Amino acid sequence: MWRLGKIFTGYDGGNISAESSDTQHPSQESNHLLHDIAQLTKLRTQSHKLLTQNVPGKSKSPVSAVKMLIGRESNYSRSGNFSLADKSNILSRYLPVNGPCCIDRIRSRVYISQFSVDGSLFTAAFQGSYIRIYDVEHGWKVHKDILARGLRWTITDTSLSPDQRYLVYASMSPVVHIVNITSGSAESVANVTDLHDGLDFSVHEEDDFSIFSVKFSTDGRELVGATSDNSICVYDLHASKLALRIPAHTADVNTVCFADESGHLIYSGSDDSLCKVWDRRCLITKGQASGVLMGHLEGVTFIDSRGDGRYLISNGKDQTIKLWDIRKMSDKAVRRPRVRDDEWDYRWADYPVHAKNLKHPHDQSLATYKGHQVLRTLIRCYFSPVQR
């Protein structure tokens, strides 16, 4: 997703470069370099010798991914994992190779982009009050073209209901709007062709804050929101009222989501650099987070749950994505090291060079991924729908 208003897919219409064991019989020489990625990584892509032993009377063919997975589980490499050559072999056959292709172009900045849980729909939200939902399975045809209402500056987040009938969108205000995306017309103009109901997340009339993140619960009965007044809010859609407000962090809460289908656990991420885990069953007696996940050196821009109540990923202004297991969380936070000058701001300055290789002394994450930039806007991260 690019901020210049262009929507790109990561493949050209679904074409994937993969060899078929029924039709291709590469020679011993070509099996070393099955694809250009082998040249780029300078790795041989031949599968492990225990997987490539020929059956007498049969031609040698590429090893299937299924056979390689079985070999890994059998620990054929004696390392408990794929070898570097195995990894290159798989990547060379299944990574998109033809680059992205443009599917839409709008004269407005795009800040939100996400797939539905099953991957069949793709939502993009633009600064100019536009939201477009694309039908991925039918050539990225526009499923719904929405003109939003009541915006302040931009749409900050969107979320599709589990049954994919409703969309909610948030802005720099305490009011979230909800619209039915299954109505007959593909065009939805707020309160003209469709009703865009306003859901007020404020406690008092004078409250004025931004909602940076909003997500449906898996049963579609509740919404959880992250606010600029350091709080998490839970809205009961059936009762049409705010059900819970948690003073959650010491800075803006940029992101929040339900952990699993139970709706009891909530994950949050804040500009205080912490990810927190909340158990609603314990809030009355405990009154605080069930645990804290430390590792980011700057504010957390987004989190996404794998949906199993254990794993989540987060993106941070420290230019890293981290994978977490909440079974490793702590009961309290340890002060993070100072990594930058107070003048640094992600909205207009590059991340300080001297801070790029610094690490949190109490990093609890399972893995850290680098190579991207969090600049100008709060870049998001998601688990692939296929991996849920």
Side-chain angles (χ1 to χ4, degrees), residues 26-28 31-32 34 44-56 58-64 67-68 71 76 85-86 89 93:
S27 64
Q28 178 72 25
N31 197 37
H32 290 172
L34 288 176
R44 290 162 62 93
T45 59
Q46 184 175 13
S47 303
H48 194 277
K49 61 182 180 181
L50 294 180
L51 297 178
T52 56
Q53 293 176 348
N54 289 337
V55 176
K58 289 192 175 182
S59 302
K60 188 172 184 177
S61 60
V63 178
S64 70
K67 188 174 181 181
M68 294 182 72
Y76 67 88
D86 288 337
N89 184 297
R93 289 196 274 168

mmCIF file of all heavy atoms in Angstrom, residues 26-28 31-32 34 44-56 58-64 67-68 71 76 85-86 89 93:
data_model
loop_
_atom_site.group_PDB
_atom_site.id
_atom_site.type_symbol
_atom_site.label_atom_id
_atom_site.label_comp_id
_atom_site.label_asym_id
_atom_site.label_seq_id
_atom_site.Cartn_x
_atom_site.Cartn_y
_atom_site.Cartn_z
ATOM 1 N N PRO A 26 13.773 -30.991 -14.176
ATOM 2 C CA PRO A 26 15.028 -30.266 -14.364
ATOM 3 C C PRO A 26 16.227 -31.182 -14.230
ATOM 4 O O PRO A 26 16.206 -32.179 -13.536
ATOM 5 C CB PRO A 26 14.987 -29.226 -13.231
ATOM 6 C CG PRO A 26 14.117 -29.843 -12.189
ATOM 7 C CD PRO A 26 13.096 -30.639 -12.937
ATOM 8 N N SER A 27 17.281 -30.800 -14.890
ATOM 9 C CA SER A 27 18.512 -31.561 -14.799
ATOM 10 C C SER A 27 19.197 -31.305 -13.478
ATOM 11 O O SER A 27 18.803 -30.439 -12.711
ATOM 12 C CB SER A 27 19.452 -31.131 -15.945
ATOM 13 O OG SER A 27 19.815 -29.770 -15.769
ATOM 14 N N GLN A 28 20.263 -32.098 -13.212
ATOM 15 C CA GLN A 28 21.023 -31.907 -11.970
ATOM 16 C C GLN A 28 21.575 -30.490 -11.882
ATOM 17 O O GLN A 28 21.565 -29.875 -10.831
ATOM 18 C CB GLN A 28 22.170 -32.920 -11.933
ATOM 19 C CG GLN A 28 23.068 -32.810 -10.709
ATOM 20 C CD GLN A 28 22.384 -33.309 -9.459
ATOM 21 O OE1 GLN A 28 21.485 -34.122 -9.550
ATOM 22 N NE2 GLN A 28 22.804 -32.810 -8.305
ATOM 23 N N ASN A 31 18.788 -27.844 -11.235
ATOM 24 C CA ASN A 31 18.175 -27.993 -9.919
ATOM 25 C C ASN A 31 18.900 -27.153 -8.875
ATOM 26 O O ASN A 31 18.354 -26.853 -7.816
ATOM 27 C CB ASN A 31 18.181 -29.460 -9.505
ATOM 28 C CG ASN A 31 17.202 -29.730 -8.375
ATOM 29 O OD1 ASN A 31 16.132 -29.143 -8.343
ATOM 30 N ND2 ASN A 31 17.568 -30.613 -7.470
ATOM 31 N N HIS A 32 20.150 -26.762 -9.156
ATOM 32 C CA HIS A 32 20.900 -25.932 -8.223
ATOM 33 C C HIS A 32 20.400 -24.495 -8.249
ATOM 34 O O HIS A 32 20.503 -23.780 -7.263
ATOM 35 C CB HIS A 32 22.388 -25.950 -8.572
ATOM 36 C CG HIS A 32 23.023 -27.279 -8.297
ATOM 37 N ND1 HIS A 32 24.310 -27.568 -8.683
ATOM 38 C CD2 HIS A 32 22.546 -28.391 -7.696
ATOM 39 C CE1 HIS A 32 24.606 -28.814 -8.324
ATOM 40 N NE2 HIS A 32 23.555 -29.313 -7.726
ATOM 41 N N LEU A 34 17.041 -22.993 -9.275
ATOM 42 C CA LEU A 34 15.684 -23.123 -9.780
ATOM 43 C C LEU A 34 15.075 -21.776 -10.149
ATOM 44 O O LEU A 34 14.136 -21.695 -10.905
ATOM 45 C CB LEU A 34 14.795 -23.785 -8.718
ATOM 46 C CG LEU A 34 15.049 -25.278 -8.489
ATOM 47 C CD1 LEU A 34 14.187 -25.781 -7.350
ATOM 48 C CD2 LEU A 34 14.774 -26.072 -9.744
ATOM 49 N N ARG A 44 22.643 -21.972 -2.972
ATOM 50 C CA ARG A 44 22.195 -23.084 -3.788
ATOM 51 C C ARG A 44 20.789 -23.469 -3.328
ATOM 52 O O ARG A 44 20.473 -23.432 -2.139
ATOM 53 C CB ARG A 44 23.131 -24.286 -3.604
ATOM 54 C CG ARG A 44 24.512 -24.055 -4.223
ATOM 55 C CD ARG A 44 25.508 -25.039 -3.662
ATOM 56 N NE ARG A 44 25.163 -26.410 -3.952
ATOM 57 C CZ ARG A 44 25.607 -27.093 -5.003
ATOM 58 N NH1 ARG A 44 26.417 -26.507 -5.851
ATOM 59 N NH2 ARG A 44 25.255 -28.335 -5.209
ATOM 60 N N THR A 45 19.923 -23.803 -4.256
ATOM 61 C CA THR A 45 18.541 -24.096 -3.901
ATOM 62 C C THR A 45 18.208 -25.574 -4.024
ATOM 63 O O THR A 45 17.059 -25.949 -4.113
ATOM 64 C CB THR A 45 17.576 -23.294 -4.786
ATOM 65 O OG1 THR A 45 17.814 -23.638 -6.148
ATOM 66 C CG2 THR A 45 17.748 -21.814 -4.588
ATOM 67 N N GLN A 46 19.213 -26.389 -4.045
ATOM 68 C CA GLN A 46 18.946 -27.812 -4.122
ATOM 69 C C GLN A 46 18.449 -28.316 -2.771
ATOM 70 O O GLN A 46 18.968 -27.936 -1.724
ATOM 71 C CB GLN A 46 20.215 -28.574 -4.495
ATOM 72 C CG GLN A 46 19.985 -30.078 -4.701
ATOM 73 C CD GLN A 46 21.248 -30.768 -5.179
ATOM 74 O OE1 GLN A 46 22.316 -30.187 -5.128
ATOM 75 N NE2 GLN A 46 21.128 -31.986 -5.656
ATOM 76 N N SER A 47 17.421 -29.150 -2.788
ATOM 77 C CA SER A 47 16.879 -29.698 -1.557
ATOM 78 C C SER A 47 17.871 -30.653 -0.915
ATOM 79 O O SER A 47 18.835 -31.114 -1.546
ATOM 80 C CB SER A 47 15.565 -30.441 -1.848
ATOM 81 O OG SER A 47 14.639 -29.571 -2.463
ATOM 82 N N HIS A 48 17.643 -30.964 0.323
ATOM 83 C CA HIS A 48 18.529 -31.844 1.069
ATOM 84 C C HIS A 48 18.644 -33.191 0.364
ATOM 85 O O HIS A 48 17.678 -33.718 -0.201
ATOM 86 C CB HIS A 48 17.983 -32.030 2.489
ATOM 87 C CG HIS A 48 18.973 -32.629 3.437
ATOM 88 N ND1 HIS A 48 19.191 -33.983 3.516
ATOM 89 C CD2 HIS A 48 19.797 -32.055 4.342
ATOM 90 C CE1 HIS A 48 20.115 -34.221 4.443
ATOM 91 N NE2 HIS A 48 20.487 -33.066 4.968
ATOM 92 N N LYS A 49 19.832 -33.781 0.419
ATOM 93 C CA LYS A 49 20.089 -35.013 -0.327
ATOM 94 C C LYS A 49 19.182 -36.162 0.104
ATOM 95 O O LYS A 49 18.870 -37.044 -0.693
ATOM 96 C CB LYS A 49 21.558 -35.421 -0.165
ATOM 97 C CG LYS A 49 21.966 -35.714 1.284
ATOM 98 C CD LYS A 49 23.428 -36.072 1.373
ATOM 99 C CE LYS A 49 23.859 -36.365 2.812
ATOM 100 N NZ LYS A 49 25.302 -36.685 2.890
ATOM 101 N N LEU A 50 18.735 -36.173 1.363
ATOM 102 C CA LEU A 50 17.850 -37.248 1.811
ATOM 103 C C LEU A 50 16.464 -37.154 1.190
ATOM 104 O O LEU A 50 15.722 -38.124 1.163
ATOM 105 C CB LEU A 50 17.726 -37.221 3.339
ATOM 106 C CG LEU A 50 18.994 -37.543 4.132
ATOM 107 C CD1 LEU A 50 18.713 -37.481 5.618
ATOM 108 C CD2 LEU A 50 19.533 -38.926 3.745
ATOM 109 N N LEU A 51 16.133 -35.965 0.669
ATOM 110 C CA LEU A 51 14.834 -35.788 0.028
ATOM 111 C C LEU A 51 14.898 -35.953 -1.477
ATOM 112 O O LEU A 51 13.865 -36.044 -2.130
ATOM 113 C CB LEU A 51 14.280 -34.392 0.347
ATOM 114 C CG LEU A 51 13.993 -34.093 1.823
ATOM 115 C CD1 LEU A 51 13.511 -32.661 1.965
ATOM 116 C CD2 LEU A 51 12.960 -35.054 2.385
ATOM 117 N N THR A 52 16.098 -35.963 -2.035
ATOM 118 C CA THR A 52 16.240 -35.993 -3.492
ATOM 119 C C THR A 52 16.779 -37.317 -4.014
ATOM 120 O O THR A 52 17.195 -37.408 -5.157
ATOM 121 C CB THR A 52 17.182 -34.858 -3.937
ATOM 122 O OG1 THR A 52 18.442 -34.993 -3.252
ATOM 123 C CG2 THR A 52 16.585 -33.505 -3.614
ATOM 124 N N GLN A 53 16.787 -38.328 -3.157
ATOM 125 C CA GLN A 53 17.252 -39.638 -3.607
ATOM 126 C C GLN A 53 16.282 -40.200 -4.640
ATOM 127 O O GLN A 53 15.068 -40.219 -4.425
ATOM 128 C CB GLN A 53 17.378 -40.580 -2.421
ATOM 129 C CG GLN A 53 18.483 -40.185 -1.448
ATOM 130 C CD GLN A 53 18.529 -41.081 -0.239
ATOM 131 O OE1 GLN A 53 17.616 -41.858 -0.011
ATOM 132 N NE2 GLN A 53 19.595 -40.968 0.536
ATOM 133 N N ASN A 54 16.826 -40.651 -5.764
ATOM 134 C CA ASN A 54 15.992 -41.154 -6.853
ATOM 135 C C ASN A 54 15.493 -42.563 -6.588
ATOM 136 O O ASN A 54 16.178 -43.385 -5.983
ATOM 137 C CB ASN A 54 16.768 -41.151 -8.166
ATOM 138 C CG ASN A 54 17.006 -39.751 -8.678
ATOM 139 O OD1 ASN A 54 16.271 -38.829 -8.329
ATOM 140 N ND2 ASN A 54 18.035 -39.594 -9.486
ATOM 141 N N VAL A 55 14.264 -42.788 -7.051
ATOM 142 C CA VAL A 55 13.745 -44.156 -7.067
ATOM 143 C C VAL A 55 14.178 -44.784 -8.380
ATOM 144 O O VAL A 55 14.033 -44.163 -9.435
ATOM 145 C CB VAL A 55 12.199 -44.149 -6.976
ATOM 146 C CG1 VAL A 55 11.652 -45.561 -7.098
ATOM 147 C CG2 VAL A 55 11.749 -43.487 -5.683
ATOM 148 N N PRO A 56 14.763 -45.973 -8.350
ATOM 149 C CA PRO A 56 15.249 -46.602 -9.591
ATOM 150 C C PRO A 56 14.166 -46.641 -10.663
ATOM 151 O O PRO A 56 13.029 -47.022 -10.409
ATOM 152 C CB PRO A 56 15.620 -48.017 -9.131
ATOM 153 C CG PRO A 56 15.943 -47.860 -7.677
ATOM 154 C CD PRO A 56 15.014 -46.815 -7.169
ATOM 155 N N LYS A 58 12.917 -44.056 -12.215
ATOM 156 C CA LYS A 58 12.110 -42.841 -12.288
ATOM 157 C C LYS A 58 13.005 -41.622 -12.425
ATOM 158 O O LYS A 58 14.087 -41.576 -11.873
ATOM 159 C CB LYS A 58 11.224 -42.683 -11.047
ATOM 160 C CG LYS A 58 10.084 -43.699 -10.991
ATOM 161 C CD LYS A 58 9.068 -43.311 -9.921
ATOM 162 C CE LYS A 58 7.877 -44.248 -9.961
ATOM 163 N NZ LYS A 58 6.858 -43.849 -8.957
ATOM 164 N N SER A 59 12.528 -40.646 -13.183
ATOM 165 C CA SER A 59 13.290 -39.418 -13.384
ATOM 166 C C SER A 59 13.268 -38.566 -12.129
ATOM 167 O O SER A 59 12.340 -38.633 -11.325
ATOM 168 C CB SER A 59 12.702 -38.613 -14.551
ATOM 169 O OG SER A 59 12.700 -39.378 -15.730
ATOM 170 N N LYS A 60 14.302 -37.766 -12.000
ATOM 171 C CA LYS A 60 14.389 -36.883 -10.854
ATOM 172 C C LYS A 60 13.461 -35.681 -11.066
ATOM 173 O O LYS A 60 13.424 -35.096 -12.131
ATOM 174 C CB LYS A 60 15.830 -36.406 -10.680
ATOM 175 C CG LYS A 60 16.054 -35.644 -9.391
ATOM 176 C CD LYS A 60 17.526 -35.391 -9.201
ATOM 177 C CE LYS A 60 17.769 -34.721 -7.851
ATOM 178 N NZ LYS A 60 19.193 -34.512 -7.600
ATOM 179 N N SER A 61 12.692 -35.325 -10.054
ATOM 180 C CA SER A 61 11.766 -34.201 -10.143
ATOM 181 C C SER A 61 11.918 -33.322 -8.914
ATOM 182 O O SER A 61 12.427 -33.770 -7.894
ATOM 183 C CB SER A 61 10.320 -34.696 -10.260
ATOM 184 O OG SER A 61 9.971 -35.476 -9.122
ATOM 185 N N PRO A 62 11.470 -32.061 -8.982
ATOM 186 C CA PRO A 62 11.585 -31.177 -7.822
ATOM 187 C C PRO A 62 10.862 -31.736 -6.602
ATOM 188 O O PRO A 62 9.821 -32.378 -6.726
ATOM 189 C CB PRO A 62 10.924 -29.879 -8.307
ATOM 190 C CG PRO A 62 10.979 -29.939 -9.795
ATOM 191 C CD PRO A 62 10.886 -31.390 -10.149
ATOM 192 N N VAL A 63 11.408 -31.490 -5.448
ATOM 193 C CA VAL A 63 10.808 -31.975 -4.206
ATOM 194 C C VAL A 63 9.643 -31.071 -3.834
ATOM 195 O O VAL A 63 9.773 -29.844 -3.823
ATOM 196 C CB VAL A 63 11.855 -31.984 -3.081
ATOM 197 C CG1 VAL A 63 11.228 -32.435 -1.771
ATOM 198 C CG2 VAL A 63 13.018 -32.894 -3.453
ATOM 199 N N SER A 64 8.498 -31.655 -3.526
ATOM 200 C CA SER A 64 7.323 -30.867 -3.172
ATOM 201 C C SER A 64 7.496 -30.239 -1.788
ATOM 202 O O SER A 64 8.254 -30.729 -0.947
ATOM 203 C CB SER A 64 6.066 -31.734 -3.179
ATOM 204 O OG SER A 64 6.097 -32.651 -2.100
ATOM 205 N N LYS A 67 6.600 -32.680 0.993
ATOM 206 C CA LYS A 67 7.663 -33.623 1.328
ATOM 207 C C LYS A 67 8.745 -32.938 2.171
ATOM 208 O O LYS A 67 9.302 -33.541 3.092
ATOM 209 C CB LYS A 67 8.281 -34.187 0.048
ATOM 210 C CG LYS A 67 9.274 -35.318 0.304
ATOM 211 C CD LYS A 67 9.749 -35.934 -0.998
ATOM 212 C CE LYS A 67 10.728 -37.070 -0.731
ATOM 213 N NZ LYS A 67 11.209 -37.671 -2.009
ATOM 214 N N MET A 68 9.013 -31.670 1.864
ATOM 215 C CA MET A 68 10.018 -30.952 2.641
ATOM 216 C C MET A 68 9.540 -30.714 4.079
ATOM 217 O O MET A 68 10.316 -30.798 5.034
ATOM 218 C CB MET A 68 10.339 -29.613 1.968
ATOM 219 C CG MET A 68 11.012 -29.774 0.615
ATOM 220 S SD MET A 68 11.431 -28.201 -0.161
ATOM 221 C CE MET A 68 12.800 -27.684 0.866
ATOM 222 N N GLY A 71 9.915 -33.889 5.903
ATOM 223 C CA GLY A 71 11.327 -34.091 6.220
ATOM 224 C C GLY A 71 11.783 -33.241 7.391
ATOM 225 O O GLY A 71 12.561 -33.677 8.237
ATOM 226 N N TYR A 76 15.399 -34.422 9.374
ATOM 227 C CA TYR A 76 16.397 -34.974 8.468
ATOM 228 C C TYR A 76 17.672 -34.149 8.460
ATOM 229 O O TYR A 76 18.762 -34.670 8.203
ATOM 230 C CB TYR A 76 15.826 -35.071 7.041
ATOM 231 C CG TYR A 76 15.566 -33.737 6.397
ATOM 232 C CD1 TYR A 76 16.551 -33.064 5.672
ATOM 233 C CD2 TYR A 76 14.313 -33.143 6.482
ATOM 234 C CE1 TYR A 76 16.315 -31.852 5.092
ATOM 235 C CE2 TYR A 76 14.068 -31.916 5.906
ATOM 236 C CZ TYR A 76 15.065 -31.272 5.207
ATOM 237 O OH TYR A 76 14.838 -30.055 4.631
ATOM 238 N N ALA A 85 19.487 -23.689 2.260
ATOM 239 C CA ALA A 85 19.177 -24.102 0.886
ATOM 240 C C ALA A 85 17.711 -24.476 0.736
ATOM 241 O O ALA A 85 17.075 -24.170 -0.272
ATOM 242 C CB ALA A 85 20.071 -25.277 0.487
ATOM 243 N N ASP A 86 17.149 -25.154 1.772
ATOM 244 C CA ASP A 86 15.735 -25.505 1.729
ATOM 245 C C ASP A 86 14.868 -24.250 1.686
ATOM 246 O O ASP A 86 13.889 -24.175 0.933
ATOM 247 C CB ASP A 86 15.360 -26.330 2.965
ATOM 248 C CG ASP A 86 15.925 -27.749 2.902
ATOM 249 O OD1 ASP A 86 16.194 -28.219 1.794
ATOM 250 O OD2 ASP A 86 16.091 -28.366 3.969
ATOM 251 N N ASN A 89 14.980 -22.726 -1.625
ATOM 252 C CA ASN A 89 14.240 -23.566 -2.555
ATOM 253 C C ASN A 89 12.750 -23.245 -2.528
ATOM 254 O O ASN A 89 12.104 -23.059 -3.565
ATOM 255 C CB ASN A 89 14.473 -25.039 -2.192
ATOM 256 C CG ASN A 89 13.825 -25.997 -3.171
ATOM 257 O OD1 ASN A 89 12.612 -26.017 -3.311
ATOM 258 N ND2 ASN A 89 14.640 -26.803 -3.831
ATOM 259 N N ARG A 93 10.203 -20.741 -5.341
ATOM 260 C CA ARG A 93 9.066 -21.292 -6.075
ATOM 261 C C ARG A 93 7.740 -20.618 -5.755
ATOM 262 O O ARG A 93 6.813 -20.681 -6.559
ATOM 263 C CB ARG A 93 8.954 -22.791 -5.790
ATOM 264 C CG ARG A 93 10.070 -23.609 -6.436
ATOM 265 C CD ARG A 93 9.717 -25.068 -6.461
ATOM 266 N NE ARG A 93 10.090 -25.730 -5.215
ATOM 267 C CZ ARG A 93 9.690 -26.953 -4.886
ATOM 268 N NH1 ARG A 93 8.903 -27.614 -5.683
ATOM 269 N NH2 ARG A 93 10.081 -27.489 -3.757
#
